[in-house]
Amino acid sequence: MKILVLDGSPRKDAGCTMRVTRAFLAGLVREGEDTAEVIHLSDCRIKPCLGCLSCWGRTEGTCVIGDDDIPRIKEQILASDIIISSFPLYFFGMPGTVKVFCDRMLSMLSTYEGQLPVPGTSFHGIRPGVEGKKFIVISSCGYAQTELVYDPLLAELDIICGVGAYTPILCPQGKTLNEPTLTHKIEKFLVKYTDAGREFRETGALSPETVQYLRKPPFSPRTFQTLLSTFWAQERAKGGNRHGDV
């Protein structure tokens, strides 16, 4: 089994979301049988979509922009069995780098010819060669919960992929994951993502109960408020020189 991770964090492996992703991979990847490759989108040269729609009309799924890293990444996607998109929640959506990348994936969808949306399916439909692949979205956020704050992102993914056509793994209170004083607590918390990776490998999916369980935060709301107050007090004391990532 070939697994491809598309890391959309500007901080690459230092980001909190990749801690969740690595924990999931620990249960998903079986040594000697599977391969897992990580592409850091922040390292890639990805030009914005021109909106010319040539990939729908003239080139049958091929983007006219061929002098960046998108053709190579598309080849790797098509050669993979499981594609994991890993990124932090930025302002209730995906980070800018991921959005630019996502726009360029328009060429992997079927042409829109006025068809009406069918609830539960991809609005456009997926071009041949992409069907059958497993798509997982792993994202952490700095909020106390995943309800409401992820609604805009999930609505977009539901329209692009189709409801149920991807597996969302959402992690609240992401700012705590790289806090050195909480290492022991967080390591125990991340075990459930490793267990989820093992479940996905064995069954090809996650149960609704597991998906909901993964959304449970590591700390109570009151404890998290205390941690946030301490964090922001330290940030203000440093004059805003420290860059954060959820």
Side-chain angles (χ1 to χ4, degrees), residues 180-206:
T181 61
L182 303 173
T183 298
H184 180 67
K185 169 76 173 179
I186 294 303
E187 288 297 335
K188 291 178 62 177
F189 171 73
L190 291 173
V191 168
K192 67 179 183 178
Y193 294 98
T194 300
D195 292 340
R198 195 171 295 113
E199 177 183 335
F200 195 93
R201 177 185 177 82
E202 293 173 354
T203 66
L206 295 181

PDB file of all heavy atoms in Angstrom, residues 180-206:
ATOM      1  N   PRO A 180       5.981  21.929  25.618  1.00  0.00           N
ATOM      2  CA  PRO A 180       6.899  20.997  26.297  1.00  0.00           C
ATOM      3  C   PRO A 180       6.417  20.551  27.674  1.00  0.00           C
ATOM      4  O   PRO A 180       6.656  19.410  28.077  1.00  0.00           O
ATOM      5  CB  PRO A 180       8.197  21.812  26.405  1.00  0.00           C
ATOM      6  CG  PRO A 180       8.108  22.819  25.312  1.00  0.00           C
ATOM      7  CD  PRO A 180       6.654  23.164  25.202  1.00  0.00           C
ATOM      8  N   THR A 181       5.747  21.417  28.410  1.00  0.00           N
ATOM      9  CA  THR A 181       5.308  21.067  29.756  1.00  0.00           C
ATOM     10  C   THR A 181       4.163  20.063  29.763  1.00  0.00           C
ATOM     11  O   THR A 181       3.823  19.509  30.813  1.00  0.00           O
ATOM     12  CB  THR A 181       4.867  22.326  30.527  1.00  0.00           C
ATOM     13  OG1 THR A 181       3.762  22.939  29.840  1.00  0.00           O
ATOM     14  CG2 THR A 181       6.010  23.330  30.620  1.00  0.00           C
ATOM     15  N   LEU A 182       3.577  19.818  28.595  1.00  0.00           N
ATOM     16  CA  LEU A 182       2.429  18.915  28.506  1.00  0.00           C
ATOM     17  C   LEU A 182       2.765  17.631  27.755  1.00  0.00           C
ATOM     18  O   LEU A 182       1.876  16.878  27.367  1.00  0.00           O
ATOM     19  CB  LEU A 182       1.265  19.619  27.798  1.00  0.00           C
ATOM     20  CG  LEU A 182       0.788  20.933  28.417  1.00  0.00           C
ATOM     21  CD1 LEU A 182      -0.254  21.587  27.512  1.00  0.00           C
ATOM     22  CD2 LEU A 182       0.210  20.705  29.804  1.00  0.00           C
ATOM     23  N   THR A 183       4.042  17.368  27.559  1.00  0.00           N
ATOM     24  CA  THR A 183       4.478  16.260  26.707  1.00  0.00           C
ATOM     25  C   THR A 183       3.859  14.930  27.115  1.00  0.00           C
ATOM     26  O   THR A 183       3.333  14.185  26.276  1.00  0.00           O
ATOM     27  CB  THR A 183       6.010  16.142  26.726  1.00  0.00           C
ATOM     28  OG1 THR A 183       6.580  17.339  26.195  1.00  0.00           O
ATOM     29  CG2 THR A 183       6.467  14.966  25.873  1.00  0.00           C
ATOM     30  N   HIS A 184       3.897  14.585  28.397  1.00  0.00           N
ATOM     31  CA  HIS A 184       3.391  13.283  28.843  1.00  0.00           C
ATOM     32  C   HIS A 184       1.900  13.153  28.563  1.00  0.00           C
ATOM     33  O   HIS A 184       1.430  12.125  28.053  1.00  0.00           O
ATOM     34  CB  HIS A 184       3.673  13.094  30.334  1.00  0.00           C
ATOM     35  CG  HIS A 184       3.190  11.776  30.871  1.00  0.00           C
ATOM     36  ND1 HIS A 184       3.750  10.569  30.492  1.00  0.00           N
ATOM     37  CD2 HIS A 184       2.183  11.481  31.748  1.00  0.00           C
ATOM     38  CE1 HIS A 184       3.110   9.590  31.113  1.00  0.00           C
ATOM     39  NE2 HIS A 184       2.167  10.104  31.883  1.00  0.00           N
ATOM     40  N   LYS A 185       1.147  14.188  28.893  1.00  0.00           N
ATOM     41  CA  LYS A 185      -0.294  14.179  28.661  1.00  0.00           C
ATOM     42  C   LYS A 185      -0.612  14.060  27.177  1.00  0.00           C
ATOM     43  O   LYS A 185      -1.494  13.280  26.770  1.00  0.00           O
ATOM     44  CB  LYS A 185      -0.899  15.464  29.226  1.00  0.00           C
ATOM     45  CG  LYS A 185      -2.345  15.732  28.836  1.00  0.00           C
ATOM     46  CD  LYS A 185      -3.315  14.883  29.599  1.00  0.00           C
ATOM     47  CE  LYS A 185      -4.748  15.299  29.310  1.00  0.00           C
ATOM     48  NZ  LYS A 185      -5.744  14.492  30.019  1.00  0.00           N
ATOM     49  N   ILE A 186       0.106  14.794  26.341  1.00  0.00           N
ATOM     50  CA  ILE A 186      -0.167  14.796  24.903  1.00  0.00           C
ATOM     51  C   ILE A 186       0.210  13.463  24.271  1.00  0.00           C
ATOM     52  O   ILE A 186      -0.498  12.964  23.384  1.00  0.00           O
ATOM     53  CB  ILE A 186       0.576  15.965  24.221  1.00  0.00           C
ATOM     54  CG1 ILE A 186       0.002  17.300  24.705  1.00  0.00           C
ATOM     55  CG2 ILE A 186       0.466  15.859  22.710  1.00  0.00           C
ATOM     56  CD1 ILE A 186      -1.485  17.475  24.482  1.00  0.00           C
ATOM     57  N   GLU A 187       1.308  12.860  24.711  1.00  0.00           N
ATOM     58  CA  GLU A 187       1.696  11.564  24.158  1.00  0.00           C
ATOM     59  C   GLU A 187       0.600  10.530  24.408  1.00  0.00           C
ATOM     60  O   GLU A 187       0.285   9.713  23.536  1.00  0.00           O
ATOM     61  CB  GLU A 187       3.014  11.098  24.786  1.00  0.00           C
ATOM     62  CG  GLU A 187       4.241  11.881  24.318  1.00  0.00           C
ATOM     63  CD  GLU A 187       4.498  11.738  22.831  1.00  0.00           C
ATOM     64  OE1 GLU A 187       4.077  10.711  22.240  1.00  0.00           O
ATOM     65  OE2 GLU A 187       5.119  12.643  22.249  1.00  0.00           O
ATOM     66  N   LYS A 188       0.000  10.552  25.586  1.00  0.00           N
ATOM     67  CA  LYS A 188      -1.105   9.635  25.886  1.00  0.00           C
ATOM     68  C   LYS A 188      -2.325   9.975  25.032  1.00  0.00           C
ATOM     69  O   LYS A 188      -3.034   9.081  24.556  1.00  0.00           O
ATOM     70  CB  LYS A 188      -1.453   9.723  27.371  1.00  0.00           C
ATOM     71  CG  LYS A 188      -0.380   9.166  28.300  1.00  0.00           C
ATOM     72  CD  LYS A 188      -0.767   9.316  29.757  1.00  0.00           C
ATOM     73  CE  LYS A 188      -2.024   8.553  30.093  1.00  0.00           C
ATOM     74  NZ  LYS A 188      -2.364   8.634  31.539  1.00  0.00           N
ATOM     75  N   PHE A 189      -2.546  11.266  24.805  1.00  0.00           N
ATOM     76  CA  PHE A 189      -3.680  11.708  23.996  1.00  0.00           C
ATOM     77  C   PHE A 189      -3.543  11.248  22.546  1.00  0.00           C
ATOM     78  O   PHE A 189      -4.532  10.846  21.912  1.00  0.00           O
ATOM     79  CB  PHE A 189      -3.771  13.235  24.065  1.00  0.00           C
ATOM     80  CG  PHE A 189      -4.762  13.852  23.126  1.00  0.00           C
ATOM     81  CD1 PHE A 189      -6.125  13.753  23.351  1.00  0.00           C
ATOM     82  CD2 PHE A 189      -4.335  14.549  21.999  1.00  0.00           C
ATOM     83  CE1 PHE A 189      -7.048  14.334  22.471  1.00  0.00           C
ATOM     84  CE2 PHE A 189      -5.241  15.135  21.123  1.00  0.00           C
ATOM     85  CZ  PHE A 189      -6.598  15.017  21.368  1.00  0.00           C
ATOM     86  N   LEU A 190      -2.322  11.265  22.012  1.00  0.00           N
ATOM     87  CA  LEU A 190      -2.101  10.937  20.610  1.00  0.00           C
ATOM     88  C   LEU A 190      -2.252   9.444  20.313  1.00  0.00           C
ATOM     89  O   LEU A 190      -2.373   9.053  19.149  1.00  0.00           O
ATOM     90  CB  LEU A 190      -0.711  11.408  20.167  1.00  0.00           C
ATOM     91  CG  LEU A 190      -0.520  12.928  20.074  1.00  0.00           C
ATOM     92  CD1 LEU A 190       0.943  13.265  19.786  1.00  0.00           C
ATOM     93  CD2 LEU A 190      -1.413  13.529  18.994  1.00  0.00           C
ATOM     94  N   VAL A 191      -2.253   8.625  21.351  1.00  0.00           N
ATOM     95  CA  VAL A 191      -2.385   7.184  21.142  1.00  0.00           C
ATOM     96  C   VAL A 191      -3.689   6.853  20.409  1.00  0.00           C
ATOM     97  O   VAL A 191      -3.744   5.922  19.594  1.00  0.00           O
ATOM     98  CB  VAL A 191      -2.317   6.437  22.492  1.00  0.00           C
ATOM     99  CG1 VAL A 191      -2.737   4.970  22.338  1.00  0.00           C
ATOM    100  CG2 VAL A 191      -0.902   6.510  23.057  1.00  0.00           C
ATOM    101  N   LYS A 192      -4.741   7.623  20.675  1.00  0.00           N
ATOM    102  CA  LYS A 192      -6.015   7.312  20.032  1.00  0.00           C
ATOM    103  C   LYS A 192      -5.948   7.518  18.517  1.00  0.00           C
ATOM    104  O   LYS A 192      -6.688   6.866  17.774  1.00  0.00           O
ATOM    105  CB  LYS A 192      -7.149   8.128  20.638  1.00  0.00           C
ATOM    106  CG  LYS A 192      -7.111   9.627  20.408  1.00  0.00           C
ATOM    107  CD  LYS A 192      -8.318  10.282  21.055  1.00  0.00           C
ATOM    108  CE  LYS A 192      -8.388  11.781  20.810  1.00  0.00           C
ATOM    109  NZ  LYS A 192      -9.603  12.386  21.413  1.00  0.00           N
ATOM    110  N   TYR A 193      -5.069   8.395  18.045  1.00  0.00           N
ATOM    111  CA  TYR A 193      -4.908   8.584  16.602  1.00  0.00           C
ATOM    112  C   TYR A 193      -4.133   7.415  15.991  1.00  0.00           C
ATOM    113  O   TYR A 193      -4.402   7.013  14.856  1.00  0.00           O
ATOM    114  CB  TYR A 193      -4.224   9.914  16.321  1.00  0.00           C
ATOM    115  CG  TYR A 193      -5.076  11.095  16.729  1.00  0.00           C
ATOM    116  CD1 TYR A 193      -4.878  11.742  17.943  1.00  0.00           C
ATOM    117  CD2 TYR A 193      -6.118  11.532  15.919  1.00  0.00           C
ATOM    118  CE1 TYR A 193      -5.679  12.804  18.334  1.00  0.00           C
ATOM    119  CE2 TYR A 193      -6.929  12.597  16.304  1.00  0.00           C
ATOM    120  CZ  TYR A 193      -6.705  13.223  17.514  1.00  0.00           C
ATOM    121  OH  TYR A 193      -7.510  14.261  17.902  1.00  0.00           O
ATOM    122  N   THR A 194      -3.202   6.863  16.756  1.00  0.00           N
ATOM    123  CA  THR A 194      -2.505   5.661  16.300  1.00  0.00           C
ATOM    124  C   THR A 194      -3.477   4.492  16.220  1.00  0.00           C
ATOM    125  O   THR A 194      -3.464   3.717  15.251  1.00  0.00           O
ATOM    126  CB  THR A 194      -1.348   5.322  17.252  1.00  0.00           C
ATOM    127  OG1 THR A 194      -0.425   6.411  17.282  1.00  0.00           O
ATOM    128  CG2 THR A 194      -0.611   4.065  16.787  1.00  0.00           C
ATOM    129  N   ASP A 195      -4.334   4.365  17.217  1.00  0.00           N
ATOM    130  CA  ASP A 195      -5.361   3.316  17.184  1.00  0.00           C
ATOM    131  C   ASP A 195      -6.294   3.509  15.984  1.00  0.00           C
ATOM    132  O   ASP A 195      -6.709   2.534  15.349  1.00  0.00           O
ATOM    133  CB  ASP A 195      -6.173   3.335  18.471  1.00  0.00           C
ATOM    134  CG  ASP A 195      -5.366   2.913  19.688  1.00  0.00           C
ATOM    135  OD1 ASP A 195      -4.319   2.260  19.508  1.00  0.00           O
ATOM    136  OD2 ASP A 195      -5.777   3.238  20.819  1.00  0.00           O
ATOM    137  N   ALA A 196      -6.606   4.771  15.674  1.00  0.00           N
ATOM    138  CA  ALA A 196      -7.466   5.055  14.523  1.00  0.00           C
ATOM    139  C   ALA A 196      -6.777   4.661  13.220  1.00  0.00           C
ATOM    140  O   ALA A 196      -7.416   4.138  12.295  1.00  0.00           O
ATOM    141  CB  ALA A 196      -7.846   6.530  14.495  1.00  0.00           C
ATOM    142  N   GLY A 197      -5.477   4.913  13.123  1.00  0.00           N
ATOM    143  CA  GLY A 197      -4.733   4.499  11.937  1.00  0.00           C
ATOM    144  C   GLY A 197      -4.770   3.000  11.751  1.00  0.00           C
ATOM    145  O   GLY A 197      -4.916   2.489  10.628  1.00  0.00           O
ATOM    146  N   ARG A 198      -4.672   2.281  12.868  1.00  0.00           N
ATOM    147  CA  ARG A 198      -4.744   0.821  12.812  1.00  0.00           C
ATOM    148  C   ARG A 198      -6.146   0.365  12.372  1.00  0.00           C
ATOM    149  O   ARG A 198      -6.290  -0.572  11.574  1.00  0.00           O
ATOM    150  CB  ARG A 198      -4.404   0.250  14.190  1.00  0.00           C
ATOM    151  CG  ARG A 198      -4.087  -1.234  14.197  1.00  0.00           C
ATOM    152  CD  ARG A 198      -3.558  -1.660  15.558  1.00  0.00           C
ATOM    153  NE  ARG A 198      -2.274  -1.026  15.850  1.00  0.00           N
ATOM    154  CZ  ARG A 198      -2.091  -0.117  16.810  1.00  0.00           C
ATOM    155  NH1 ARG A 198      -3.102   0.274  17.560  1.00  0.00           N
ATOM    156  NH2 ARG A 198      -0.889   0.393  17.002  1.00  0.00           N
ATOM    157  N   GLU A 199      -7.174   1.031  12.873  1.00  0.00           N
ATOM    158  CA  GLU A 199      -8.544   0.696  12.471  1.00  0.00           C
ATOM    159  C   GLU A 199      -8.753   0.947  10.975  1.00  0.00           C
ATOM    160  O   GLU A 199      -9.377   0.125  10.280  1.00  0.00           O
ATOM    161  CB  GLU A 199      -9.548   1.532  13.276  1.00  0.00           C
ATOM    162  CG  GLU A 199     -10.991   1.302  12.876  1.00  0.00           C
ATOM    163  CD  GLU A 199     -11.977   2.201  13.629  1.00  0.00           C
ATOM    164  OE1 GLU A 199     -11.645   2.639  14.749  1.00  0.00           O
ATOM    165  OE2 GLU A 199     -13.072   2.466  13.105  1.00  0.00           O
ATOM    166  N   PHE A 200      -8.212   2.058  10.478  1.00  0.00           N
ATOM    167  CA  PHE A 200      -8.377   2.377   9.058  1.00  0.00           C
ATOM    168  C   PHE A 200      -7.673   1.327   8.199  1.00  0.00           C
ATOM    169  O   PHE A 200      -8.188   0.927   7.152  1.00  0.00           O
ATOM    170  CB  PHE A 200      -7.814   3.766   8.764  1.00  0.00           C
ATOM    171  CG  PHE A 200      -8.255   4.326   7.439  1.00  0.00           C
ATOM    172  CD1 PHE A 200      -9.380   5.141   7.346  1.00  0.00           C
ATOM    173  CD2 PHE A 200      -7.567   4.033   6.274  1.00  0.00           C
ATOM    174  CE1 PHE A 200      -9.800   5.639   6.114  1.00  0.00           C
ATOM    175  CE2 PHE A 200      -7.968   4.523   5.046  1.00  0.00           C
ATOM    176  CZ  PHE A 200      -9.090   5.337   4.963  1.00  0.00           C
ATOM    177  N   ARG A 201      -6.521   0.894   8.640  1.00  0.00           N
ATOM    178  CA  ARG A 201      -5.797  -0.111   7.880  1.00  0.00           C
ATOM    179  C   ARG A 201      -6.581  -1.422   7.823  1.00  0.00           C
ATOM    180  O   ARG A 201      -6.664  -2.075   6.774  1.00  0.00           O
ATOM    181  CB  ARG A 201      -4.421  -0.366   8.505  1.00  0.00           C
ATOM    182  CG  ARG A 201      -3.667  -1.467   7.775  1.00  0.00           C
ATOM    183  CD  ARG A 201      -2.364  -1.855   8.406  1.00  0.00           C
ATOM    184  NE  ARG A 201      -1.801  -2.958   7.637  1.00  0.00           N
ATOM    185  CZ  ARG A 201      -1.114  -2.823   6.519  1.00  0.00           C
ATOM    186  NH1 ARG A 201      -0.880  -1.609   6.036  1.00  0.00           N
ATOM    187  NH2 ARG A 201      -0.650  -3.862   5.858  1.00  0.00           N
ATOM    188  N   GLU A 202      -7.176  -1.808   8.925  1.00  0.00           N
ATOM    189  CA  GLU A 202      -7.854  -3.094   9.014  1.00  0.00           C
ATOM    190  C   GLU A 202      -9.212  -3.101   8.322  1.00  0.00           C
ATOM    191  O   GLU A 202      -9.635  -4.133   7.789  1.00  0.00           O
ATOM    192  CB  GLU A 202      -8.010  -3.483  10.489  1.00  0.00           C
ATOM    193  CG  GLU A 202      -6.677  -3.775  11.175  1.00  0.00           C
ATOM    194  CD  GLU A 202      -6.835  -3.996  12.670  1.00  0.00           C
ATOM    195  OE1 GLU A 202      -7.969  -3.815  13.186  1.00  0.00           O
ATOM    196  OE2 GLU A 202      -5.828  -4.337  13.321  1.00  0.00           O
ATOM    197  N   THR A 203      -9.894  -1.951   8.328  1.00  0.00           N
ATOM    198  CA  THR A 203     -11.271  -1.924   7.812  1.00  0.00           C
ATOM    199  C   THR A 203     -11.443  -1.040   6.581  1.00  0.00           C
ATOM    200  O   THR A 203     -12.480  -1.106   5.920  1.00  0.00           O
ATOM    201  CB  THR A 203     -12.244  -1.431   8.893  1.00  0.00           C
ATOM    202  OG1 THR A 203     -11.967  -0.054   9.194  1.00  0.00           O
ATOM    203  CG2 THR A 203     -12.096  -2.259  10.167  1.00  0.00           C
ATOM    204  N   GLY A 204     -10.452  -0.184   6.295  1.00  0.00           N
ATOM    205  CA  GLY A 204     -10.571   0.723   5.156  1.00  0.00           C
ATOM    206  C   GLY A 204     -11.397   1.950   5.436  1.00  0.00           C
ATOM    207  O   GLY A 204     -11.724   2.724   4.527  1.00  0.00           O
ATOM    208  N   ALA A 205     -11.764   2.145   6.709  1.00  0.00           N
ATOM    209  CA  ALA A 205     -12.590   3.289   7.080  1.00  0.00           C
ATOM    210  C   ALA A 205     -12.516   3.468   8.591  1.00  0.00           C
ATOM    211  O   ALA A 205     -11.924   2.648   9.302  1.00  0.00           O
ATOM    212  CB  ALA A 205     -14.034   3.084   6.641  1.00  0.00           C
ATOM    213  N   LEU A 206     -13.115   4.559   9.065  1.00  0.00           N
ATOM    214  CA  LEU A 206     -13.263   4.775  10.499  1.00  0.00           C
ATOM    215  C   LEU A 206     -14.752   4.781  10.822  1.00  0.00           C
ATOM    216  O   LEU A 206     -15.555   5.366  10.090  1.00  0.00           O
ATOM    217  CB  LEU A 206     -12.634   6.102  10.929  1.00  0.00           C
ATOM    218  CG  LEU A 206     -11.121   6.248  10.779  1.00  0.00           C
ATOM    219  CD1 LEU A 206     -10.675   7.630  11.270  1.00  0.00           C
ATOM    220  CD2 LEU A 206     -10.378   5.145  11.528  1.00  0.00           C
TER     221      LEU A 206
END
